[in-house]
Amino acid sequence: MEKYKLIEFKEYGDDRGNLVVAEGSGKDIPFEIKRVFYISGSDSEVVRGKHANRKTQFVLINVAGSSDVLVDDGNNKEVIHLDKPRMALFLDTMVWKEMYNFSPDSVLMCLASEHYDESEYIRDYEEFVKETRA
Ligand code: TYD
């Protein structure tokens, strides 16, 4: 399985508006969702994230507005532009991520496979590179 990939959710839009569906436990989201958080009000100069996780997988969705996500698996770096509620970015464990270039209306929703545990976060880039090469 890839360390990161784009996922497109089903959309049931009609003349009443849009409806996007994301089902967990391997249907649309590759894991059982244990935690949801969302990031808003970060202006365009802010860089968030700057960490990798030893245990948690994530799915990121800009449910409103847009942002850029730098993903780095220790070998390759890529910037993904998120700007559609039906578009999601899956991040496996041990992927370094940085979120930035937030639009004023950006709401970045993050679905996580684990409960919050600071001890499984790697916040030092050198340590991340060391652990990916180990
Ligand atoms: P942080 O990881 O720095 O946010 P981001 O990766 O979006 O830049 O988290 C900011 C603060 O919020 C930090 O004190 C930890 C806390 N936090 C939780 O308690 N639970 C969570 O699920 C998350 C994501 C953060």
Side-chain angles (χ1 to χ4, degrees):
M1 193 160 160
E2 308 98 308
K3 293 301 277 179
Y4 57 91
K5 66 174 179 183
L6 283 170
I7 301 171
E8 199 157 323
F9 299 136
K10 288 186 218 73
E11 198 170 22
Y12 299 95
D14 58 29
D15 55 8
R16 299 170 299 163
N18 297 323
L19 173 70
V20 176
V21 178
E23 295 206 39
S25 305
K27 284 194 153 187
D28 304 298
I29 309 293
F31 49 77
E32 187 194 333
I33 301 159
K34 288 197 183 155
R35 175 164 57 114
V36 178
F37 55 95
Y38 16 88
I39 297 168
S40 59
S42 290
D43 63 36
S44 58
E45 293 98 72
V46 167
V47 181
R48 301 200 61 125
K50 294 185 164 183
H51 46 58
N53 293 73
R54 296 185 183 94
K55 290 189 185 150
T56 306
Q57 298 176 316
F58 294 93
V59 167
L60 275 49
I61 308 145
N62 254 109
V63 291
S66 61
S67 66
D68 286 331
V69 186
L70 170 86
V71 286
D72 177 351
D73 65 7
N75 293 307
N76 297 299
K77 291 183 191 186
E78 193 175 340
V79 177
I80 312 280
H81 184 66
L82 295 177
D83 63 354
K84 292 175 197 73
R86 68 167 188 278
M87 179 185 176
L89 174 62
F90 166 77
L91 300 174
D92 201 353
T93 58
M94 295 304 288
V95 173
W96 186 267
K97 55 213 169 289
E98 300 185 6
M99 297 84 89
Y100 60 99
N101 197 22
F102 295 95
S103 65
D105 59 343
S106 174
V107 180
L108 180 61
M109 185 165 75
C110 306
L111 312 177
S113 66
E114 305 297 329
H115 295 295
Y116 184 72
D117 172 9
E118 181 57 35
S119 71
E120 62 101 16
Y121 276 70
I122 306 171
R123 293 182 184 269
D124 178 71
Y125 188 75
E126 299 309 316
E127 175 63 21
F128 164 69
V129 171
K130 203 173 105 191
E131 291 193 26
T132 56
R133 308 268 147 94

